Amino acid sequence: MLPAVEQLIRDHRQKLNTLLDDQSDLNFESLVVPVELMEHELGRVWSPVTHLQSVLGSRDWRDAYNQALPLLTEHGTEISQNAKLQSAYAGVEASLGEAAGEARRSAVEHALREFHLAGVDLPEADKDRFKEIMQSLAAAQASFEHNIQDATDAWSLHIQDIEELSGIPKQAMERAAEHAQEKQLEGWLWALDYPSYDSIMTHAHNRQLREIFYRAWSTRGSDQGDSAAWDNSENIISILALRHEAANLVGFESYADYSLATKMAGSSDEVLNFLRELSARSRNAAERELADLQDFAGMQLQPWDLTFWLEKYKQSRFSVSNEELRQYFPARTVINGLFALAGRLYGVELIELNDVAMWHEDARYFAVRNDVDEVIGGFYIDIYARNGKRNGAWVDECVSRQNLDGKAELPVGYLVCNFPPLDDAGLSLLTHDDVVTLFHEFGHMMHHLLTRIDLPSISGINGVPWDAVELPSQFMENFAWNYDVLRKCSAHPESGAPLPRDLFDKLEQSRNAGAGLAMLRQLELAMFDFRLHAEYEPDKSIDVLEMLQSVRDEVSLLEHPPYNRLPHAFSHIFAGGYAAGYYSYKWAEVLAADAFAAFEEAGIFDPATAQRFRREILEIGGSRDIMQAYIAFRGRKPSIDALLRQDGINDA
Ligand SMILES: [Zn+2]
């Protein structure tokens, strides 16, 4: 693999240089098509490599992967910083006639936007400063993350009296006991990893213990934590300043505007109004939920009580056990039901091929055939957990669709999950959560496979704005909450009976417990993130905690203790890719719920609605403005009503 990657990079570098040497005669065919094909070729080589690295668990493979990765990163930077390539694209854009078509125009625009956002077209001095900023930013973000990691790793709590630990599930107890043994201690040694934190907050009867964990968790990486060495206060200030300066250099007033340049949401005002409207309309429901919970608990609830009492409340009101549900969802039955649904909605047929090479005996391959019997793509599916396989569930592209040089290639994808391995009876029984996960990933897969776009950089999931990319997947989840669909996805292994109606009813009732409070919590995070990046001014000192308080005054129902330092461990926005983008979670949920409502209005299997969804959303990749596409599907802009209804949040 390594020599193949090296060879490919060498070839591409040479090809690109030759292309750019003769600047006189560059047009779409002579520049964009070969560049697209090179990217495509690289993807065809590299995506199986990363895929196998995730599912194979081979030491040799990982070593080769780790040697190839920096070569590709360097190659990627070389291209994204290539000013000659940028100006060649600009030349092509200027020469694109009216007849060029939306997809071609869009591919060129996307490429130019990437160059611009990476500072390639800046004057020399600014360009150098931009690069400097990016380096400092990368360092500050890494330091932010390390501080959280170090603070978390340094924390522990040793408990010897089992009485203090009542209610905590066995698995978490066993981990803590092992941890104690490793350190030659009696009893239980607790760490601050998320699974431990989560099981204490959800299950520990001991209120004081919950508060200790809450305090440790909410002061990680801050001046309120155990060591000043891990305080992220300065990192936060410099990250905000650097982002603002970079955004200014490439012509944006704020980092929020810079972030929105590649997103579906049109402006800062649009995002803030969206968040404020959701918050205003969820408030009554959240207040009612909190009052109910406090009644149920018989006391005023603090932040470290909420998860615990919500869990107790759910158990007492809608006792529906995962184990009972699991009996009805053998993985193969669920998959067959899901494929039948895809057939009903989109007229596609999924046919298993047995002569395809696989990395493991669990994996299978399906070809996708449309209603006129043409194969339009295919995918690998590998759903059982095993050693050496990365955790979680995901879809990735193996081959993206392209049709540029007369040799069209069809899209191929991977769908990977970590469901329970087959038992002695040859069954893997799924929880309903697992079923929802499978539907979610399958929604991504349909997006990848049903595309009609010929340019790989904007076909399938490629080039789709970040805040819209979860639309097809979250949309698909809704079908896993429909009884007609679940009936066809379920069969008790002994009786063959489908999921009983009364069990489904209980499941459905439990879906929305605490939905209003959860909504406000997400809105608090989203609004804090967005306002921070929209309102930052370099000449004024920014008080991050004051900003947080102002957001909480507007959105939150709970009082937080003064030591709470949420920003200092908010990695999504200070170390990850969600800066001025945390709102995307809710944005995509609104799109998905509103799109599904169109199906509910017409009957959820309505062929005309499904055809329209396929044509306007699933087929277009990144070739069109997604808001315009959405309006073409829905006949109007997205509305938040459907999500509120789906969450059982009735603001009346
Ligand atoms: Zn997803």
Side-chain angles (χ1 to χ4, degrees):
M1 174 270 279
L2 191 57
V5 169
E6 286 168 341
Q7 181 66 46
L8 205 54
I9 290 177
R10 261 198 310 276
D11 289 355
H12 283 185
R13 187 174 288 140
Q14 199 179 22
K15 229 188 229 172
L16 191 61
N17 287 340
T18 315
L19 268 180
L20 293 173
D21 272 349
D22 179 21
Q23 289 258 10
S24 59
D25 172 33
L26 287 176
N27 54 35
F28 195 92
E29 300 297 337
S30 64
L31 177 77
V32 182
V33 169
V35 171
E36 289 266 344
L37 285 173
M38 280 191 268
E39 289 289 310
H40 179 76
E41 191 179 20
L42 203 57
R44 281 207 65 153
V45 170
W46 188 241
S47 90
V49 175
T50 48
H51 172 70
L52 291 176
Q53 140 82 3
S54 300
V55 297
L56 204 58
S58 141
R59 183 103 222 127
D60 291 347
W61 195 258
R62 173 175 311 178
D63 289 346
Y65 172 88
N66 284 337
Q67 287 176 61
L69 188 60
L71 304 177
L72 278 151
T73 312
E74 193 196 320
H75 180 63
T77 313
E78 207 176 289
I79 291 177
S80 67
Q81 291 295 330
N82 189 330
K84 243 174 144 179
L85 184 60
Q86 184 271 333
S87 68
Y89 263 81
V92 170
E93 187 189 41
S95 71
L96 273 184
E98 275 307 311
E102 207 169 21
R104 289 188 159 206
R105 198 178 300 281
S106 187
V108 173
E109 270 169 22
H110 276 235
L112 283 170
R113 191 177 67 195
E114 288 311 311
F115 283 126
H116 180 66
L117 293 177
V120 182
D121 51 357
L122 291 174
E124 274 318 305
D126 286 355
K127 196 194 257 182
D128 291 344
R129 177 61 193 146
F130 192 89
K131 276 188 200 155
E132 239 172 64
I133 294 174
M134 288 301 139
Q135 276 164 7
S136 311
L137 200 48
Q141 293 186 168
S143 156
F144 184 93
E145 194 58 32
H146 292 152
N147 282 341
I148 300 171
Q149 201 55 53
D150 290 349
T152 306
D153 290 349
W155 190 90
S156 68
L157 182 68
H158 182 213
I159 293 179
Q160 282 176 290
D161 182 358
I162 196 164
E163 295 289 306
E164 290 179 38
L165 299 170
S166 84
I168 302 169
K170 202 169 129 218
Q171 229 185 356
M173 291 289 283
E174 282 171 0
R175 255 198 337 268
E178 274 169 32
H179 195 185
Q181 276 163 17
E182 282 162 21
K183 297 269 152 70
Q184 270 101 44
L185 293 170
E186 297 287 314
W188 298 266
L189 187 62
W190 294 93
L192 202 54
D193 56 287
Y194 183 76
S196 298
Y197 171 74
D198 186 50
S199 33
I200 301 278
M201 297 313 279
T202 314
H203 301 289
H205 296 162
N206 182 345
R207 192 180 191 204
Q208 205 188 350
L209 181 67
R210 295 201 305 268
E211 186 179 357
I212 292 171
F213 266 84
Y214 171 85
R215 185 178 191 124
W217 186 261
S218 67
T219 57
R220 286 171 306 149
S222 80
D223 56 317
Q224 300 291 311
D226 290 335
S227 162
W230 305 315
D231 182 5
N232 270 329
S233 300
E234 273 174 36
N235 279 334
I236 291 176
I237 299 298
S238 58
I239 288 168
L240 289 171
L242 289 163
R243 283 181 182 155
H244 186 85
E245 190 186 347
N248 280 173
L249 275 174
V250 293
F252 295 95
E253 270 186 32
S254 69
Y255 188 79
D257 289 346
Y258 177 91
S259 157
L260 291 185
T262 50
K263 297 198 169 70
M264 177 178 175
S267 68
S268 293
D269 279 350
E270 193 179 351
V271 172
L272 286 169
N273 289 339
F274 167 78
L275 296 173
R276 291 208 158 103
E277 197 187 345
L278 270 178
S279 148
R281 293 190 49 191
S282 310
R283 196 168 180 90
N284 282 346
E287 274 169 358
R288 273 198 307 274
E289 286 167 14
L290 186 60
D292 274 0
L293 272 184
Q294 309 212 108
D295 269 2
F296 179 74
M299 63 176 175
Q300 172 101 19
L301 297 181
Q302 297 294 333
W304 47 90
D305 298 323
L306 209 57
T307 318
F308 175 77
W309 283 106
L310 184 62
E311 178 71 12
K312 283 262 173 297
Y313 181 84
K314 277 204 247 182
Q315 277 170 10
S316 95
R317 293 290 151 97
F318 338 91
S319 64
V320 47
S321 106
N322 270 335
E323 294 318 303
E324 199 181 351
L325 285 167
R326 203 193 270 285
Q327 291 307 313
Y328 290 94
F329 295 122
R332 279 183 184 245
T333 310
V334 178
I335 287 178
N336 291 338
L338 177 57
F339 288 3
L341 172 65
R344 200 163 170 191
L345 290 174
Y346 306 124
V348 293
E349 196 185 348
L350 309 179
I351 302 137
E352 180 158 17
L353 303 185
N354 293 311
D355 55 352
V356 176
M358 292 293 166
W359 54 92
H360 190 273
E361 59 185 10
D362 285 349
R364 301 160 77 191
Y365 183 89
F366 289 86
V368 182
R369 215 155 52 187
N370 67 10
D371 50 1
V372 289
D373 257 5
E374 293 163 339
V375 172
I376 57 168
F379 65 102
Y380 299 87
I381 176 165
D382 178 7
I383 58 168
Y384 305 123
R386 60 174 175 269
N387 280 340
K389 189 170 165 185
R390 178 157 70 90
N391 283 331
W394 68 90
V395 158
D396 213 345
E397 72 172 37
C398 172
V399 182
S400 42
R401 182 187 144 84
Q402 71 89 2
N403 184 17
L404 288 175
D405 56 356
K407 291 175 293 189
E409 283 169 280
L410 298 174
V412 179
Y414 313 104
L415 194 161
V416 185
C417 300
N418 274 280
F419 298 146
L422 297 173
D423 62 16
D424 294 343
L427 291 172
S428 165
L429 297 173
L430 308 188
T431 63
H432 183 258
D433 274 352
D434 294 336
V435 175
V436 173
T437 299
L438 186 62
F439 275 58
H440 177 106
E441 298 308 336
F442 190 73
H444 283 308
M445 189 57 89
M446 287 288 101
H447 198 186
H448 177 59
L449 294 176
L450 294 181
T451 193
R452 299 292 308 151
I453 300 301
D454 295 337
L455 291 149
S457 71
I458 52 168
S459 78
I461 298 167
N462 296 328
V464 176
W466 172 285
D467 47 358
V469 86
E470 294 296 331
L471 161 60
S473 52
Q474 297 191 357
F475 161 78
M476 206 66 206
E477 285 182 28
N478 286 287
F479 287 94
W481 289 96
N482 177 276
Y483 188 60
D484 289 336
V485 174
L486 286 187
R487 262 183 74 86
K488 298 211 165 69
C489 288
S490 57
H492 196 284
E494 279 149 32
S495 65
L499 181 71
R501 180 79 214 198
D502 60 329
L503 201 53
F504 172 76
D505 288 342
K506 281 202 273 183
L507 175 70
E508 200 184 24
Q509 282 160 10
S510 70
R511 182 183 185 184
N512 294 328
L517 288 165
M519 170 78 83
L520 291 192
R521 171 68 180 167
Q522 284 299 99
L523 293 173
E524 175 189 328
L525 298 174
M527 206 182 290
F528 170 67
D529 161 50
F530 204 82
R531 283 188 54 193
L532 207 54
H533 289 98
E535 293 171 27
Y536 179 86
E537 287 179 58
D539 310 330
K540 284 200 204 143
S541 70
I542 180 152
D543 189 331
V544 175
L545 293 174
E546 206 172 277
M547 169 71 82
L548 179 62
Q549 195 51 52
S550 135
V551 169
R552 281 180 168 161
D553 289 345
E554 187 180 346
V555 177
S556 178
L557 295 181
L558 288 182
E559 287 289 324
H560 294 269
Y563 59 73
N564 176 293
R565 292 288 182 274
L566 177 139
H568 293 69
F570 196 177
S571 297
H572 273 82
I573 68 164
F574 290 117
Y578 280 84
Y582 199 85
Y583 76 89
S584 300
Y585 283 112
K586 280 294 157 209
W587 187 272
E589 263 179 56
V590 161
L591 295 176
D594 189 53
F596 189 69
F599 284 71
E600 290 175 316
E601 288 155 20
I604 67 159
F605 306 111
D606 178 55
T609 311
Q611 261 314 310
R612 215 166 57 242
F613 188 69
R614 175 179 178 166
R615 192 179 63 236
E616 305 295 351
I617 306 287
L618 297 178
E619 289 185 352
I620 65 164
S623 70
R624 293 179 60 192
D625 176 79
I626 185 76
M627 185 60 92
Q628 292 311 316
Y630 191 86
I631 292 170
F633 161 65
R634 197 66 169 102
R636 57 162 172 75
K637 283 187 150 196
S639 139
I640 66 173
D641 294 349
L643 180 63
L644 295 175
R645 201 168 57 239
Q646 179 191 296
D647 280 356
I649 297 174
N650 179 358
D651 54 335

